[in-house]
Structure formats: structure tokens, C-alpha cells
Amino acid sequence: MKVGTDIIQIKRIEKLVKKYGIKFKQRYLSKKEIVMARKLETLAGLWAAKEAISKALGCGIGAQLAFHDIIIAKDHKGAPFFKLTKEAQKVFRIKSSSISISHDGGFAIAIAVIDFKKQL
């Protein structure tokens, strides 16, 4: 089992949105995630969540895992969850996972906990 966390200043996301607009959002979010993220706090939370997930996977965002390999959604109660693309799931072999996202005082934070399937 691995844990990852990330924190980001919401103003940092605000500056990027002002500078790059929709292109910034499209760089790290799916179309459904863009629709879900109407507020800057939510955008920052999704950024932090994807970073936390990548850290729990042990690779960060880069050659092994892209932002678009991680899909974040909400369940019927509004709680966030994530899944990976089929290709990424084959690599990382997740058994179960959980994420928590929060924001306050100008910051967004996320924590990801991931349990892996046993190696063959």
C-alpha cells in the first residue's frame, strides 16, 4: 500500500487559467473533468489529486504516467474517486484506492491511498 499527497496554492492555478485559458485545463483534464471543475478551488483540487495519485503510484507525472491517464469523478454522494486508463491500469495493477480532496485558506490539498495487486 502506498500514500501520496500534494498541496497547491489556488492563486497559482488562477494565474495559469488567466494566462492560458481553456488550453491549460485541456492539458491536464478530460472533457468531463473540465465540466465538473467550474470553480478555481475545484481545478486546484483536481491538480493536487492527480499529483497525489502519481506520487502514490511511485512515478510522478512524466514518461510513465500522464495527467490524462488519471480520470477523476464523483460518486452519487459527491465523494471523489479515480480510475486509470486501461493502458495505465495494466502497468500499475491497482487493487483498491481512495482519494480525498480539500481546499481552504487559499490552498487545495489531496491525499491518495493505493493498494496494489500482488506481483505475478
Side-chain angles (χ1 to χ4, degrees):
M1 188 175 291
K2 302 270 182 150
V3 176
T5 188
D6 193 68
I7 186 168
I8 186 164
Q9 195 172 30
I10 296 168
K11 283 190 182 229
R12 180 175 166 210
I13 295 296
E14 182 179 27
K15 287 177 186 176
L16 290 167
V17 169
K18 284 181 180 177
K19 186 172 183 177
Y20 298 106
I22 190 68
K23 289 185 186 266
F24 168 71
K25 295 176 188 179
Q26 291 170 334
R27 180 175 168 249
Y28 79 99
L29 298 174
S30 69
K31 290 178 184 178
K32 288 183 181 180
E33 290 167 333
I34 291 171
V35 170
M36 180 173 62
R38 293 185 212 121
K39 298 179 184 179
L40 286 172
E41 294 87 349
T42 306
L43 284 170
L46 291 172
W47 178 280
K50 290 190 178 203
E51 287 285 347
I53 292 161
S54 72
K55 290 172 184 177
L57 292 171
C59 63
I61 298 293
Q64 246 189 322
L65 183 75
F67 281 118
H68 286 279
D69 288 326
I70 305 167
I71 301 109
I72 300 174
K74 293 184 179 182
D75 68 13
H76 66 282
K77 292 183 179 180
F81 68 92
F82 78 93
K83 58 184 177 178
L84 300 180
T85 59
K86 288 180 184 180
E87 297 80 17
Q89 180 58 32
K90 287 177 189 174
V91 173
F92 295 103
R93 301 178 40 83
I94 294 173
K95 180 179 173 183
S96 63
S97 63
S98 180
I99 58 170
S100 180
I101 305 169
S102 189
H103 52 80
D104 189 32
F107 290 89
I109 188 168
I111 297 171
V113 178
I114 299 174
D115 192 13
F116 298 90
K117 296 176 184 174
K118 294 186 187 247
Q119 295 292 333
L120 300 176

